[in-house]
Amino acid sequence: MSGDLFAPKVPDEVANRRPLADRLRPKTLGEVAGQAHLTGEDGVLRRMIASGSLGSMIFWGPPGTGKTTVARLLSGEAGLAFEQISAIFSGVADLKKVFEAARLRRMDGRQTLLFVDEIHRFNRAQQDSFLPVMEDGTVILIGATTENPSFELNAALLSRARVLTFRSHDEDSLRELLGRAEEVEKRPLPLDEGAREALVRMADGDGRAVLTLAEEVWRAARPDEVFDTAALTEIVQRRAPVYDKAQDGHYNLISALHKSVRGSDPDAALYYLARMFDAGEDPLYLGRRLVRMAVEDIGLADPQALVICNAAKDAYDYLGSPEGELALAQACVYLASAPKSNAVYTAFKAATRAAKENGSLLPPKHILNAPTKLMKGEGYGDGYRYDHDEPDAFSGQDYFPEKMGRQVFYDPPERGFEREIRKRLDWWAKLRKERNGG
């Protein structure tokens, strides 16, 4: 306490040397830029605050989108104590201290909002340690992650927390941040219009980055100096993204490539592939996207499509650039000129939906193994017919759970190799009907 009383006052000019991003940190949820779906008047978080009920959450989104700031503002507006830890620097001992402090506060009638940055870096056991204090209300957990929570966080943790997605800043919200920065600095950015737009693109959706870049510009500028795009790039030593997101950005081009392949236009597909190569796109990223197109849009209409795309990806790994790009181009043309089918893609989605809707139904007992006497006594395996011993190697038995009944998910079209698959399925359907007395 006495240390605070006798500490020297920090001069205003020193306080103003704090990073611009820190000085521009919003004071209310309404001031948060770029996340209107969460913090706007009708945003999810504003509704939670208004209802007086705040639950545990996972904030998922790229860096510089305001996850930490929003967590702090939530604690203030909800009247909660705020604790912050980072999974990079904290271990089990640190968590125990935080939990104990939260328990003491709770005994005094005050709840704690615990913000955990990079929560995906905690291992499974560490993540499990949050469950008891979340369940008994000791803490309201807000975990921040840049990684997909479905892959990186325990199912038990996810079941107790709502996942909220933070979006990359669009160019309008980045321009808004630059405008606020100019108000705080009481001076315009020394950039011409083209350079200003280039600065926005350099930030690549990161609000913190756009403010950091603006600071670098102000530091570098001499009185009355105005930078163009070339000078800006030299000053900040940061290349503008290879895509102009306002016109033909990364996502626009990959969408155009994918839809050209789906639309069976190899010339357009090659054009967009070449544009992405020319712009410096990672060829292995394009290889992965071609593999996705093979399974999503060609499927079993041409089973070789997936084989060829995987081979092209491996060929690029083996050859490197520039020869490896030709292998990817070859795969691209093959996909665009192949017969198209999304029948397996559609069938898989329908089967997934049925699996979720019907719960844990037991398969029919005749197709279950019976390794114990008890299971044999329960009828497991009774009546199973080994298909290879049946005429045409086909028994016609029913394999769906009895309560569910037979379902049809896969409906192959009369195109490409799936024309042959349809013939087989129709033949088996006919035999099944005959052998089941239908």
Side-chain angles (χ1 to χ4, degrees):
M1 197 73 172
S2 59
D4 292 333
L5 287 172
F6 297 104
K9 184 178 183 299
V10 178
D12 289 343
E13 62 270 18
V14 174
N16 287 336
R17 289 177 197 158
R18 288 183 298 133
L20 187 57
D22 189 45
R23 283 185 278 146
L24 279 173
R25 197 178 292 276
K27 303 294 191 297
T28 67
L29 286 174
E31 294 178 8
V32 175
Q35 309 300 330
H37 63 297
L38 300 177
T39 61
E41 281 298 327
D42 293 320
V44 173
L45 295 175
R46 295 285 282 274
R47 289 176 181 273
M48 285 185 187
I49 293 292
S51 72
S53 176
L54 202 62
S56 292
M57 291 170 275
I58 301 298
F59 288 176
W60 174 31
T65 50
K67 297 187 291 294
T68 305
T69 296
V70 169
R72 283 186 177 278
L73 293 175
L74 278 177
S75 69
E77 298 202 17
L80 305 172
F82 184 79
E83 286 271 10
Q84 178 176 351
I85 60 173
S86 170
I88 298 174
F89 304 111
S90 304
V92 174
D94 301 295
L95 291 176
K96 287 181 178 178
K97 290 178 183 176
V98 171
F99 296 159
E100 185 56 36
R103 287 190 183 97
L104 292 174
R105 282 193 206 97
R106 192 179 177 212
M107 291 171 64
D108 289 336
R110 193 178 186 199
Q111 203 168 17
T112 300
L113 188 152
L114 173 59
F115 178 72
V116 182
D117 200 15
E118 304 282 351
I119 191 170
H120 61 275
R121 293 181 181 268
F122 276 137
N123 62 35
R124 299 281 171 177
Q126 289 169 321
Q127 290 180 32
D128 284 342
S129 70
F130 290 104
L131 303 181
V133 292
M134 292 168 68
E135 287 178 346
D136 67 13
T138 300
V139 303
I140 292 173
L141 174 71
I142 295 185
T145 178
T146 56
E147 304 296 326
N148 189 325
S150 301
F151 303 140
E152 301 296 335
L153 299 182
N154 286 1
L157 184 61
L158 284 177
S159 71
R160 292 163 174 81
R162 181 174 180 177
V163 176
L164 298 182
T165 303
F166 280 64
R167 299 169 183 165
S168 292
H169 285 274
D170 60 22
E171 295 189 353
D172 286 339
S173 65
L174 291 176
R175 293 187 192 106
E176 179 186 338
L177 288 175
L178 288 180
R180 290 186 194 178
E182 289 172 320
E183 290 176 11
V184 168
E185 289 287 324
K186 298 181 173 60
R187 51 180 171 161
L189 271 168
L191 300 172
D192 66 20
E193 192 57 36
R196 191 181 184 92
E197 291 303 302
L199 183 75
V200 168
R201 294 196 297 274
M202 287 176 183
D204 200 23
D206 187 326
R208 189 184 303 111
V210 82
L211 296 175
T212 301
L213 289 169
E215 278 191 299
E216 291 181 37
V217 170
W218 269 313
R219 290 191 190 107
R222 299 188 181 97
D224 301 322
E225 190 172 17
V226 176
F227 300 123
D228 61 13
T229 303
L232 169 68
T233 305
E234 184 65 28
I235 287 162
V236 300
Q237 293 294 301
R238 184 166 175 162
R239 184 183 172 194
V242 293
Y243 302 119
D244 181 350
K245 290 187 176 179
Q247 296 174 25
D248 57 355
H250 166 84
Y251 293 108
N252 288 340
L253 283 186
I254 195 61
S255 176
L257 172 61
H258 196 147
K259 289 179 175 63
S260 298
V261 166
R262 182 181 293 152
S264 300
D265 190 335
D267 297 308
L270 264 183
Y271 165 70
Y272 289 116
L273 183 75
R275 276 187 60 179
M276 296 184 86
F277 281 144
D278 185 58
E281 182 60 82
D282 177 8
L284 288 178
Y285 166 77
L286 291 170
R288 289 192 296 273
R289 291 299 298 231
L290 292 172
V291 169
R292 174 184 166 182
M293 294 173 207
V295 296
E296 183 176 328
D297 294 294
I298 286 81
L300 291 178
D302 185 346
Q304 284 299 306
L306 179 58
V307 176
I308 285 171
C309 286
N310 271 315
K313 179 175 62 67
D314 291 343
Y316 180 84
D317 264 340
Y318 186 59
L319 293 174
S321 186
E323 293 86 355
E325 279 92 334
L326 183 59
L328 296 176
Q330 180 174 313
C332 179
V333 170
Y334 189 94
L335 294 181
S337 55
K340 305 299 185 295
S341 171
N342 69 344
V344 173
Y345 179 70
T346 302
F348 180 66
K349 288 199 295 184
T352 301
R353 186 165 57 251
K356 290 179 179 178
E357 290 173 354
N358 288 281
S360 303
L361 297 178
L362 187 72
K365 288 185 178 180
H366 67 268
I367 65 170
L368 298 179
N369 290 330
T372 68
K373 288 183 179 179
L374 174 63
M375 295 171 79
K376 287 178 182 176
E378 289 291 320
Y380 282 39
D382 283 355
Y384 174 64
R385 289 150 60 193
Y386 186 58
D387 284 84
H388 294 289
D389 291 340
E390 299 288 327
D392 306 305
F394 181 75
S395 66
Q397 295 173 109
D398 193 9
Y399 299 103
F400 276 94
E402 291 174 9
K403 289 184 180 180
M404 189 173 171
R406 179 159 186 79
Q407 305 285 315
V408 176
F409 301 127
Y410 179 47
D411 184 24
E414 291 278 354
R415 290 191 299 276
F417 183 72
E418 281 184 300
R419 183 182 291 112
E420 297 302 315
I421 295 176
R422 174 164 284 284
K423 290 178 184 176
R424 298 176 192 172
L425 294 183
D426 289 344
W427 182 63
W428 283 327
K430 176 175 172 288
L431 289 182
R432 184 180 291 110
K433 188 175 181 180
E434 290 173 357
R435 293 176 187 181
N436 287 298

